Amino acid sequence: MTVHHDTAILLISCPDQKGLVAAIAQFLYQHNANILHADQHQDAESGTFLMRVEWDLQSFDLALEQFHTAFSPIAQQFGMHWRLAHATQRLRMAIFVSRYDHCLADLLYRYQAGELNCDIPIIISNHHDTQWLAQAYNIPFQYIPVHKDGKAEAEAEQLAILRHHHIDFIVLARYMQVLSADFIRHYPQRIINIHHSFLPAFHGAKPYHRAFERGVKLIGATSHYVTEILDDGPIIEQDVARISHRDNLDDLIRRGADLEKIVLSRAVRLHSEHRVLLYANKTVVFD
Amino acid sequence: MTVHHDTAILLISCPDQKGLVAAIAQFLYQHNANILHADQHQDAESGTFLMRVEWDLQSFDLALEQFHTAFSPIAQQFGMHWRLAHATQRLRMAIFVSRYDHCLADLLYRYQAGELNCDIPIIISNHHDTQWLAQAYNIPFQYIPVHKDGKAEAEAEQLAILRHHHIDFIVLARYMQVLSADFIRHYPQRIINIHHSFLPAFHGAKPYHRAFERGVKLIGATSHYVTEILDDGPIIEQDVARISHRDNLDDLIRRGADLEKIVLSRAVRLHSEHRVLLYANKTVVFD
Amino acid sequence: MTVHHDTAILLISCPDQKGLVAAIAQFLYQHNANILHADQHQDAESGTFLMRVEWDLQSFDLALEQFHTAFSPIAQQFGMHWRLAHATQRLRMAIFVSRYDHCLADLLYRYQAGELNCDIPIIISNHHDTQWLAQAYNIPFQYIPVHKDGKAEAEAEQLAILRHHHIDFIVLARYMQVLSADFIRHYPQRIINIHHSFLPAFHGAKPYHRAFERGVKLIGATSHYVTEILDDGPIIEQDVARISHRDNLDDLIRRGADLEKIVLSRAVRLHSEHRVLLYANKTVVFD
Amino acid sequence: MTVHHDTAILLISCPDQKGLVAAIAQFLYQHNANILHADQHQDAESGTFLMRVEWDLQSFDLALEQFHTAFSPIAQQFGMHWRLAHATQRLRMAIFVSRYDHCLADLLYRYQAGELNCDIPIIISNHHDTQWLAQAYNIPFQYIPVHKDGKAEAEAEQLAILRHHHIDFIVLARYMQVLSADFIRHYPQRIINIHHSFLPAFHGAKPYHRAFERGVKLIGATSHYVTEILDDGPIIEQDVARISHRDNLDDLIRRGADLEKIVLSRAVRLHSEHRVLLYANKTVVFD
């Protein structure tokens, strides 16, 4: 959804209760909000209420720095987890990449085309292979090699750079190093990975080889938030493509690359537009 | 969405205005409604607001027969088109069919399996071919032949039967006769057709033959409300399937039949659950 | 592909070698075969050649009972595994079913509509629930309960009935009992199962529950030949459907049922038309 | 299919006759060809035989310059249209582009990644907007404005450049000018266009606007050879994506752009690998 206005986005999750929507709608109405999009979801099994509402700030009579104070009584009454985002304050994304460049190229093209509502202050790589792409799109590129037994040092260097650039979230665009639990704790629910299979099928290494051996009729790709358990974090987006015996292993890898880049770019777009809510190790995506 | 509760469904369309959601939510909250699902949509281009809200009637303190009186002030204030549905009062559907039986068989199976939130008081056909299916599922079957120059008489007979059975909406399950404008006027926006192409491609007769000749790589099916202009009514649901040169015309017809029945059954389910809103000759489907 | 002719089908797999196609084509040409369809595949990694060729028997000057003798020299020269099928000699399929009836209903409808190139001499079930469907389609139905500790007796009874009806292959249309290794050995590569997930994801029990918990964005169904390792046999066909947070567990089950029946019916059609070749625990499907 | 060998590809279409495959296979076998891929198709309705066969040249004992003489007797006997391609002699592709750059960016990325079996000697544009992309990928860029009443001059200039670069085929990567019949005649069946709809639906201008107005539930893209009748040439590839009321016109355009680039790149790959046969204003694609 292209953003034409200066808008605010409110994301809420809480136990489902009567009067929730009335209270939120009344609050926004009182402050003269012009609601552009509102999505809500009731999970009947867990009794959870989730909501995303976006409104035009032009007529809104409450300064965003005062929102917290004004909204807190309602939030406390209903036991809400909530956060407010200001659409024109674009998130700052760092891209980690190794040698495969298809996801990076796709993200950079979409960034340049204005499709992604975020900035890219830095690309970090343990190889030099993709530096030309960073240069073509005028994005700073930082080479940080990850030597055997040197992961801790490399991660310290990465973290320093991320802090320096005030990074909001990290995208692993086929970054071939496993991040440490310690690193992940610095960006909880803010590291997005692309796995080259339809998770949970073929989690772990070499999914295309294993898909080929198993003789599946569809291959997939999965974008998910990174948690300490490998390939187990909340899934943001997935897609599949049909294959046949006419596709050899190289074809699977080539066709899978197309899935990977589309699935990852969709996840980045959804995250950047504050459309993803996390709950119970899964996501609700208001698209 | 399986209905487990006795619920009410409110469908609204009106010019988009501030305070709309607050007013509706406040009204429902005041009457102690437990909202189960709420979907809304703002069409920015036409400035239209559309909403579907469903709530549990168990705690609701307003009798449904008093809803109209109670809600009218809000409806008038915002210039709403609206209607209320009571989920346990199942709609009454008549099926029209000719010789092809795949859509009928699919609808009857789903009806018997409890997938469709409607009743089927009558099947009407201009042929005897599908009578065995009606008998297998214990649905009354009425043979009404349509003779050349006898369409008016046939339609009069059909209308009498529909009235007799208090039919709410009609499904044309590959019914091969074009209905007159007069007939359609009796069931405005309440006749659902399945067309065996991806409309607007190949509207009119023999779409599979024309798709085969044109060499398209996908075939489709479209379910839509019937209007006086052939194959032009608001589209409820569409889907496609990939074909190749290995598929001859018979294969297209066979594979298309699978599309037709799935697309039509989805449309019937969506209509029966009051998930389809009409506006500007198109639909908003809250699924 | 609708069969209009009396045709023969030759299925071949062997080590890939020069002259293979020339030898086969020359043999068929010498006997005046009018080839209708020919598909071949070279698996470069394993050096395997696989072929399916179908020809019109009208002009063919070799009686099918003499085919074996005439073709054996070529088969031996190239080390072929091969078999000949006569399209008009329809395979005899037994359907095993428990309580869920959607796959059975779909198979029976397609059988009656002439879509499946096989006969159905018997339906075997450990429950009475689907008997009405068997009756509606005039197919003999045999109730064989499977008591705790009584699986061996039940399987003995099943095998006797299968032998009596000269069954060629078995379809497990959501049959909820695990077959013994001994039973499977009687019908090697001739038992087709439908699993309600995108294998290898969620193999084993309750796949929809696990898919819901994991928060996947697509659900799937897989039809495969049964081997002694549960849910591990060669995959014939798979498909998926997109889901969202708006789909609860009941929706997953309902939408999955549609996938299951379509995927299973496709697999049955492909098997019945001799389009599936097995090799290296996977299939080549010449569709 | 990645090309690992130096291979030759033979494409044949002719009236279907007995002995065809035997004659071709025998010819290749006599010259010690190691067949890597062979696909054939019999169109029963028109009685047409179509074939693509690819073999390794390493062991082939016939020089390609002598192929024509050696194969002609067979070709004449069966009335074949045929052509031979040498896989390592990459086709030379010119790209025409206007302002929209998504298709160009995708083609250039795939070219650089080695996915396209062709060379790109020149990009021609009536605007300067995409020049930076051409420079990033080191491809010569020629600006040729097309003034009102100046199309003939512009086309003359384009043709001169195409000849200079020995161009084999042209790709219109969202080139917004209609080519003259005269221009098209210089590259019969060798100009590939991308149309931003599921043809034949919404042929002509502004398909996304018309799709939005019509309320279709899927949008599409079509790649086809250009003929003198607008948007009517043989279709090479098509695909669709599901949309909903939540997608406004901008979303349709953005999501359609993803379809367009994938569909066009697939068509270019298929054409470059000599996988497309034309017949009866449609294509057979041996993929």
Side-chain angles (χ1 to χ4, degrees):
Chain A
M1 195 73 74
T2 316
V3 176
H4 296 294
H5 313 268
D6 185 11
T7 66
I9 298 154
L10 180 62
L11 296 164
I12 296 168
S13 67
C14 63
D16 197 10
Q17 300 146 79
K18 284 176 194 164
L20 258 171
V21 178
I24 299 163
Q26 192 64 26
F27 175 85
L28 292 173
Y29 178 55
Q30 281 169 347
H31 291 288
N32 208 32
N34 185 17
I35 294 175
L36 300 173
H37 307 287
D39 275 293
Q40 63 197 76
H41 177 59
Q42 284 92 343
D43 182 316
E45 290 182 49
S46 66
T48 309
F49 173 88
L50 304 114
M51 188 179 200
R52 179 189 190 273
V53 57
E54 182 169 4
W55 66 95
D56 195 332
L57 286 173
Q58 201 170 9
S59 62
F60 197 55
D61 66 15
L62 185 66
L64 287 191
E65 48 271 30
Q66 298 176 313
F67 190 93
H68 189 277
T69 309
F71 189 66
S72 278
I74 292 173
Q76 282 172 18
Q77 178 189 348
F78 292 99
M80 294 179 182
H81 284 97
W82 67 279
R83 63 189 169 89
L84 183 77
H86 188 174
T88 47
Q89 290 194 328
R90 292 153 64 98
L91 293 183
R92 296 170 67 80
M93 165 173 76
I95 303 178
F96 281 36
V97 67
S98 292
R99 286 194 149 134
Y100 295 119
D101 62 6
H102 51 282
C103 289
L104 176 65
D106 196 60
L107 285 169
L108 293 180
Y109 172 75
R110 291 177 196 277
Y111 165 73
Q112 170 274 337
E115 281 186 32
L116 303 180
N117 189 40
C118 60
D119 291 324
I120 310 179
I122 189 72
I123 296 167
I124 293 176
S125 183
N126 56 335
H127 293 281
H128 286 291
D129 305 54
T130 63
Q131 193 154 4
W132 72 277
L133 263 170
Q135 283 168 353
Y137 286 93
N138 283 316
I139 310 285
F141 178 94
Q142 181 67 46
Y143 169 65
I144 304 180
V146 183
H147 299 294
K148 226 188 184 184
D149 307 325
K151 178 178 285 188
E153 290 82 349
E155 288 193 346
E157 196 177 345
Q158 291 166 348
L159 286 168
I161 290 170
L162 297 174
R163 272 190 301 268
H164 173 75
H165 287 288
H166 305 287
I167 293 301
D168 293 303
F169 73 107
I170 300 165
V171 169
L172 309 181
R174 296 298 308 273
Y175 181 64
M176 305 303 273
Q177 300 284 329
V178 176
L179 297 173
S180 73
D182 182 64
F183 185 101
I184 295 167
R185 253 173 256 129
H186 283 82
Y187 292 89
Q189 303 173 344
R190 292 189 291 147
I191 307 175
I192 296 175
N193 186 40
I194 180 72
H195 187 78
H196 39 317
S197 84
F198 180 76
L199 287 177
F202 309 120
H203 57 89
K206 293 211 169 276
Y208 292 126
H209 290 75
R210 288 151 65 207
F212 186 73
E213 274 166 34
R214 183 64 186 91
V216 292
K217 302 302 183 190
L218 301 159
I219 55 168
T222 304
S223 186
H224 64 95
Y225 289 110
V226 173
T227 59
E228 297 185 21
I229 304 174
L230 190 69
D231 300 336
D232 186 60
I235 293 169
I236 306 168
E237 173 64 337
Q238 298 187 290
D239 215 339
V240 296
R242 186 162 282 270
I243 56 168
S244 81
H245 60 274
R246 285 179 288 274
D247 295 295
N248 62 25
L249 186 51
D250 284 346
D251 295 319
L252 261 60
I253 291 168
R254 174 180 55 76
R255 299 189 55 191
D258 272 6
L259 281 176
E260 293 164 31
K261 65 190 186 191
I262 283 177
V263 167
L264 180 59
S265 288
R266 276 191 213 146
V268 167
R269 190 176 62 78
L270 293 167
H271 181 90
S272 301
E273 297 182 359
H274 309 284
R275 297 184 178 280
V276 187
L277 265 83
L278 276 157
Y279 97 104
N281 204 39
K282 54 188 185 181
T283 65
V284 167
V285 177
F286 289 124
D287 59 347
Chain B
M1 195 73 75
T2 316
V3 175
H4 296 293
H5 313 268
D6 185 13
T7 66
I9 298 154
L10 181 61
L11 297 163
I12 296 168
S13 67
C14 63
D16 197 11
Q17 300 146 79
K18 283 176 195 163
L20 256 171
V21 177
I24 299 163
Q26 192 64 26
F27 174 85
L28 291 173
Y29 177 56
Q30 280 170 348
H31 291 289
N32 207 31
N34 185 16
I35 296 175
L36 300 174
H37 307 287
D39 275 293
Q40 63 196 76
H41 177 60
Q42 283 93 344
D43 182 316
E45 289 181 49
S46 65
T48 308
F49 173 87
L50 303 114
M51 188 178 201
R52 179 189 189 273
V53 56
E54 181 169 4
W55 66 94
D56 195 333
L57 286 175
Q58 200 169 10
S59 63
F60 197 56
D61 67 13
L62 186 66
L64 288 192
E65 49 271 30
Q66 299 177 311
F67 190 93
H68 189 277
T69 308
F71 190 65
S72 277
I74 293 173
Q76 281 172 19
Q77 178 189 350
F78 291 99
M80 294 179 182
H81 284 96
W82 67 278
R83 62 189 169 91
L84 182 77
H86 188 174
T88 48
Q89 291 194 327
R90 293 153 64 97
L91 293 183
R92 297 170 66 79
M93 166 173 75
I95 304 179
F96 280 37
V97 66
S98 292
R99 286 194 149 133
Y100 295 118
D101 62 6
H102 52 282
C103 288
L104 176 66
D106 197 59
L107 285 169
L108 293 180
Y109 172 76
R110 290 176 196 276
Y111 164 73
Q112 170 274 336
E115 281 186 31
L116 303 180
N117 189 40
C118 61
D119 290 324
I120 310 178
I122 190 73
I123 296 168
I124 294 176
S125 182
N126 56 334
H127 294 280
H128 286 291
D129 304 54
T130 63
Q131 193 154 4
W132 72 278
L133 263 171
Q135 282 167 354
Y137 286 92
N138 284 315
I139 309 285
F141 179 94
Q142 181 67 48
Y143 169 64
I144 303 180
V146 182
H147 299 294
K148 226 188 183 182
D149 307 325
K151 179 178 285 190
E153 289 81 348
E155 288 193 345
E157 195 178 346
Q158 291 166 348
L159 285 169
I161 290 170
L162 297 173
R163 271 191 302 268
H164 172 75
H165 287 287
H166 304 287
I167 292 303
D168 291 304
F169 73 107
I170 300 165
V171 169
L172 309 181
R174 297 298 308 274
Y175 181 66
M176 306 302 273
Q177 299 284 330
V178 176
L179 297 174
S180 73
D182 180 64
F183 185 101
I184 294 167
R185 253 174 255 128
H186 283 83
Y187 291 90
Q189 303 173 343
R190 292 189 290 147
I191 307 175
I192 297 175
N193 185 40
I194 180 73
H195 186 77
H196 39 315
S197 85
F198 180 76
L199 288 176
F202 308 121
H203 58 88
K206 293 212 170 273
Y208 292 126
H209 291 75
R210 289 150 65 206
F212 186 74
E213 274 166 34
R214 183 64 184 91
V216 291
K217 302 302 184 189
L218 300 160
I219 53 167
T222 304
S223 185
H224 63 95
Y225 290 109
V226 174
T227 59
E228 297 185 20
I229 305 173
L230 190 70
D231 300 336
D232 187 59
I235 293 169
I236 307 168
E237 174 63 339
Q238 299 187 289
D239 215 338
V240 296
R242 184 162 284 269
I243 55 168
S244 81
H245 60 274
R246 285 179 288 275
D247 296 294
N248 62 25
L249 185 52
D250 283 345
D251 294 319
L252 261 60
I253 291 169
R254 174 180 55 76
R255 299 190 55 191
D258 271 6
L259 281 176
E260 293 163 30
K261 66 190 185 191
I262 284 178
V263 167
L264 180 59
S265 288
R266 277 191 211 145
V268 168
R269 190 176 62 77
L270 293 166
H271 181 89
S272 301
E273 297 181 359
H274 309 284
R275 297 184 178 281
V276 187
L277 266 84
L278 276 157
Y279 97 103
N281 204 38
K282 55 187 184 181
T283 65
V284 168
V285 178
F286 289 124
D287 58 347
Chain C
M1 194 74 72
T2 316
V3 175
H4 296 293
H5 313 267
D6 185 12
T7 66
I9 297 154
L10 181 61
L11 297 163
I12 296 169
S13 67
C14 63
D16 197 11
Q17 300 146 79
K18 283 175 194 163
L20 257 171
V21 177
I24 299 163
Q26 192 65 26
F27 175 84
L28 291 173
Y29 177 55
Q30 280 169 348
H31 291 289
N32 208 31
N34 185 17
I35 295 175
L36 300 173
H37 306 287
D39 276 294
Q40 63 197 76
H41 177 60
Q42 283 93 343
D43 181 316
E45 290 182 49
S46 66
T48 309
F49 173 88
L50 303 114
M51 187 178 201
R52 179 189 189 274
V53 56
E54 182 170 4
W55 65 94
D56 195 332
L57 286 174
Q58 199 169 10
S59 64
F60 197 53
D61 67 12
L62 186 65
L64 287 191
E65 50 270 32
Q66 297 176 312
F67 190 92
H68 190 277
T69 309
F71 190 65
S72 278
I74 293 172
Q76 281 172 18
Q77 180 191 345
F78 291 99
M80 294 176 182
H81 284 97
W82 65 280
R83 62 189 169 90
L84 183 76
H86 188 173
T88 48
Q89 292 195 326
R90 292 153 64 98
L91 293 183
R92 296 170 67 79
M93 167 172 75
I95 303 178
F96 281 37
V97 67
S98 293
R99 284 196 151 132
Y100 294 119
D101 62 6
H102 52 283
C103 288
L104 177 66
D106 196 59
L107 285 169
L108 292 180
Y109 172 75
R110 290 176 196 278
Y111 165 73
Q112 170 274 338
E115 280 187 32
L116 303 179
N117 189 40
C118 61
D119 291 324
I120 309 178
I122 189 74
I123 295 168
I124 293 176
S125 182
N126 56 334
H127 293 280
H128 285 292
D129 305 53
T130 63
Q131 194 155 2
W132 72 278
L133 262 171
Q135 282 167 355
Y137 285 93
N138 284 314
I139 309 285
F141 178 92
Q142 181 67 48
Y143 170 63
I144 303 180
V146 182
H147 300 294
K148 225 190 186 182
D149 306 324
K151 178 179 286 189
E153 289 81 349
E155 289 194 344
E157 196 177 345
Q158 290 166 347
L159 286 169
I161 290 170
L162 297 173
R163 272 190 301 268
H164 173 75
H165 286 289
H166 304 288
I167 293 302
D168 290 304
F169 73 105
I170 299 165
V171 169
L172 308 181
R174 296 299 309 274
Y175 181 65
M176 306 301 273
Q177 299 286 327
V178 175
L179 297 173
S180 73
D182 181 64
F183 185 100
I184 294 167
R185 254 174 254 127
H186 282 83
Y187 290 89
Q189 303 173 344
R190 292 189 289 149
I191 306 175
I192 297 175
N193 186 41
I194 180 72
H195 187 78
H196 39 316
S197 85
F198 180 75
L199 288 177
F202 308 121
H203 57 90
K206 293 210 169 277
Y208 291 126
H209 291 75
R210 288 150 65 205
F212 186 73
E213 274 167 34
R214 183 65 186 90
V216 291
K217 302 300 184 189
L218 301 160
I219 54 167
T222 304
S223 185
H224 63 94
Y225 289 110
V226 174
T227 60
E228 297 185 19
I229 305 174
L230 190 69
D231 299 337
D232 187 60
I235 293 169
I236 306 168
E237 174 63 340
Q238 299 186 292
D239 215 338
V240 296
R242 185 163 282 269
I243 55 168
S244 82
H245 60 273
R246 285 179 288 274
D247 296 294
N248 62 24
L249 186 52
D250 283 346
D251 294 320
L252 261 58
I253 291 169
R254 174 180 55 76
R255 299 189 55 191
D258 272 6
L259 281 176
E260 293 163 30
K261 66 190 185 191
I262 283 179
V263 166
L264 180 59
S265 288
R266 277 190 211 146
V268 168
R269 190 176 62 78
L270 293 166
H271 181 89
S272 301
E273 296 181 0
H274 310 283
R275 297 184 178 280
V276 188
L277 265 84
L278 277 158
Y279 98 102
N281 203 40
K282 55 187 185 181
T283 65
V284 168
V285 177
F286 290 124
D287 58 346
Chain D
M1 194 74 73
T2 317
V3 176
H4 296 293
H5 312 268
D6 185 12
T7 66
I9 297 153
L10 181 61
L11 297 163
I12 296 168
S13 67
C14 63
D16 197 10
Q17 300 146 79
K18 283 175 195 163
L20 257 170
V21 177
I24 299 162
Q26 192 64 26
F27 175 84
L28 291 172
Y29 178 56
Q30 280 169 349
H31 291 289
N32 206 31
N34 185 17
I35 295 173
L36 299 173
H37 307 288
D39 276 293
Q40 63 196 76
H41 177 60
Q42 284 92 344
D43 182 316
E45 290 182 49
S46 66
T48 309
F49 173 88
L50 304 113
M51 187 178 200
R52 180 189 189 273
V53 56
E54 181 169 5
W55 66 94
D56 195 333
L57 286 173
Q58 200 169 10
S59 64
F60 197 55
D61 67 12
L62 186 65
L64 287 191
E65 49 273 29
Q66 297 176 313
F67 190 93
H68 189 277
T69 309
F71 189 65
S72 277
I74 292 172
Q76 282 172 17
Q77 179 191 346
F78 291 100
M80 294 177 182
H81 284 96
W82 67 279
R83 63 190 169 89
L84 183 77
H86 188 174
T88 49
Q89 291 195 326
R90 293 153 64 98
L91 293 183
R92 296 170 66 80
M93 167 173 76
I95 303 178
F96 280 38
V97 66
S98 293
R99 285 196 150 133
Y100 294 118
D101 62 6
H102 52 282
C103 289
L104 177 66
D106 197 60
L107 285 169
L108 293 180
Y109 172 76
R110 291 177 195 277
Y111 165 73
Q112 171 272 339
E115 279 186 34
L116 303 180
N117 190 40
C118 61
D119 291 324
I120 309 178
I122 189 74
I123 295 167
I124 293 176
S125 182
N126 56 334
H127 294 280
H128 285 291
D129 305 53
T130 64
Q131 194 155 1
W132 71 278
L133 263 171
Q135 282 167 355
Y137 285 93
N138 284 314
I139 308 285
F141 178 94
Q142 181 67 47
Y143 169 64
I144 303 180
V146 182
H147 300 295
K148 226 188 184 184
D149 306 326
K151 179 179 286 191
E153 289 81 347
E155 289 193 346
E157 196 178 344
Q158 291 165 348
L159 286 168
I161 289 170
L162 297 173
R163 271 190 302 268
H164 172 75
H165 286 288
H166 304 288
I167 293 302
D168 291 303
F169 73 106
I170 300 165
V171 169
L172 309 181
R174 298 297 310 273
Y175 182 65
M176 306 302 274
Q177 299 284 329
V178 176
L179 298 173
S180 73
D182 181 63
F183 185 100
I184 294 167
R185 253 173 255 128
H186 283 83
Y187 291 89
Q189 302 173 344
R190 292 188 290 148
I191 306 175
I192 297 174
N193 186 41
I194 180 71
H195 187 78
H196 39 317
S197 84
F198 180 76
L199 288 177
F202 308 120
H203 57 90
K206 293 211 170 276
Y208 292 125
H209 291 74
R210 288 151 64 207
F212 186 72
E213 274 167 34
R214 182 64 184 91
V216 291
K217 302 301 183 189
L218 301 160
I219 54 167
T222 304
S223 185
H224 63 95
Y225 290 109
V226 174
T227 59
E228 298 185 19
I229 305 174
L230 190 70
D231 300 336
D232 186 60
I235 293 169
I236 306 168
E237 174 63 339
Q238 299 187 292
D239 216 339
V240 295
R242 185 162 283 270
I243 56 168
S244 82
H245 60 274
R246 285 180 288 274
D247 295 295
N248 62 24
L249 186 52
D250 283 346
D251 295 318
L252 260 59
I253 291 169
R254 174 180 56 76
R255 300 190 55 190
D258 272 6
L259 280 176
E260 292 163 31
K261 66 190 186 192
I262 283 178
V263 166
L264 180 59
S265 288
R266 276 190 212 146
V268 168
R269 190 177 61 78
L270 293 167
H271 181 89
S272 300
E273 296 181 0
H274 309 284
R275 297 183 178 280
V276 187
L277 265 84
L278 276 158
Y279 98 102
N281 203 40
K282 55 188 184 179
T283 65
V284 168
V285 177
F286 289 124
D287 58 347

